[in-house]
């Protein structure tokens, strides 16, 4: 019971920005992700969603102990509702990359992050790289059968934010994500015409984007593969619904 209590994240992550910035400097001085997480636990009352997302990213990038990851998963779940698009995108990517066995805590954190991505209006996703990062993570989650429902709604939101103002790599990454998730996003018996319309609209915008932006060979190949797979799924949905 004592161990469980020590690992449980605080229920609120609502420290003011100036306190969070000071804590982030201290976290950055920690030699390892495990040490940073220990400090985050110790000073949780000084932290907010920015500190949680940054520490989770570091743990995923550098590697961390099981107890560190478990704590950060819980903290991510608890603070996701406060995260701005940047933190949501970073958290989603970190949850995809974390070197850890599949756990209930990780799944719960991913569900929370995807749900918050879905609830953030497309107009607030103004950074193309963040959209691409979040979309790739959500598409990967769908392809692996994780956080299915929440990841699908998140992809709908992200597809409506792209590819306006995107570089070729970012636009093709979003297209890849939609294609990777097509079996969950556009199953053969789908009756959600709004989803079909959203994805079809994305394909139209991608086509316009390709006429005005220079694509590298890798991005051309990715976009063409994605468009073909998405178009097949959309066509299947339309035929069945008709």
């Amino acid at each position: 019971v004592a161990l469980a209590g020590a690992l449980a994240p605080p229920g609120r992550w609502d420290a003011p920005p100036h306190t969070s910035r000071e804590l982030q400097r201290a976290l950055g001085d920690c030699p390892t992700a495990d040490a940073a997480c220990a400090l985050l636990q110790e000073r949780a009352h000084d932290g907010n969603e920015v500190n949680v997302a940054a520490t989770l990213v570091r743990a995923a990038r550098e590697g961390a102990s099981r107890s560190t990851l478990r704590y950060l998963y819980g903290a991510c779940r608890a603070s996701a509702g406060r995260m701005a698009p940047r933190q949501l995108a970073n958290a989603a990517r970190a949850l995809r990359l974390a070197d850890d066995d599949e756990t209930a805590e990780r799944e719960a954190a991913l569900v929370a992050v995807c749900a918050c991505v879905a609830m953030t209006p497309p107009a607030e996703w103004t950074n193309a790289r963040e959209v691409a990062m979040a979309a790739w993570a959500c598409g990967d989650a769908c392809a692996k059968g994780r956080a299915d429902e929440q990841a699908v709604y998140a992809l709908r939101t992200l597809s409506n934010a792209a590819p306006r103002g995107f570089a070729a790599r970012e636009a093709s990454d979003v297209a890849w994500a939609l294609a990777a998730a097509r079996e969950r996003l556009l199953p053969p018996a789908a009756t959600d015409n709004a989803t079909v319309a959203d994805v079809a609209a994305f394909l139209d915008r991608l086509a316009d984007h390709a006429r005005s932006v220079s694509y590298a060979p890798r991005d051309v190949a990715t976009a063409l593969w994605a468009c073909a797979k998405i178009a097949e799924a959309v066509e299947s949905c339309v035929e069945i619904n008709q």
Side-chain angles (χ1 to χ4, degrees):
V1 172
L3 178 61
L7 294 176
R12 297 171 65 88
W13 292 93
D14 56 359
H18 70 277
T19 303
S20 171
R21 285 193 294 270
E22 192 281 326
L23 175 58
Q24 192 57 44
R25 285 192 290 269
L27 292 171
D29 290 336
C30 293
T32 66
D34 290 323
C37 182
L39 179 61
L40 184 65
Q41 293 182 61
E42 179 184 337
R43 297 182 54 185
H45 59 283
D46 292 331
N48 61 22
E49 71 283 355
V50 175
N51 307 119
V52 171
T55 308
L56 178 59
V57 167
R58 181 176 180 181
R61 183 178 65 244
E62 298 178 4
S65 69
R66 178 69 61 84
S67 61
T68 288
L69 290 171
R70 186 178 297 121
Y71 179 86
L72 292 173
Y73 295 154
C76 179
R77 184 186 70 249
S79 63
R82 297 179 178 274
M83 290 183 181
R86 174 169 295 181
Q87 286 79 48
L88 290 171
N90 283 326
R93 182 173 182 270
L95 290 167
R96 178 176 69 87
L97 296 177
D99 185 13
D100 184 32
D101 294 335
E102 299 298 327
T103 63
E105 293 89 349
R106 183 180 181 183
E107 187 74 11
L110 182 62
V111 167
V113 168
C114 288
C116 291
V117 170
M119 291 187 295
T120 304
E124 294 185 17
W125 289 90
T126 58
N127 184 291
R129 182 173 179 271
E130 292 165 7
V131 174
M133 284 170 52
W136 190 286
C138 291
D140 182 73
C142 285
K144 294 177 179 176
R146 303 173 60 210
D148 288 348
E149 183 177 358
Q150 293 80 8
V152 164
Y153 284 120
L155 279 170
R156 283 183 58 179
T157 294
L158 295 167
S159 71
N160 283 317
R164 301 182 185 93
F166 278 42
R169 173 64 57 89
E170 293 151 350
S172 65
D173 283 351
V174 176
W176 177 92
L178 291 172
R182 65 191 182 280
E183 293 182 1
R184 301 292 195 282
L185 188 67
L186 299 164
T191 58
D192 187 352
N193 291 324
T195 299
V196 175
D198 283 346
V199 176
F202 169 81
L203 291 177
D204 287 340
R205 293 198 305 276
L206 187 65
D208 291 338
H209 185 266
R211 296 187 184 99
S212 59
V213 176
S214 177
Y215 275 62
R218 177 266 187 197
D219 302 323
V220 171
T222 299
L224 286 175
W225 174 86
C227 287
K229 295 300 182 181
I230 295 171
E232 288 176 3
V234 171
E235 183 178 2
S236 176
C237 290
V238 170
E239 288 177 353
I240 290 174
N241 289 334
Q242 287 176 342

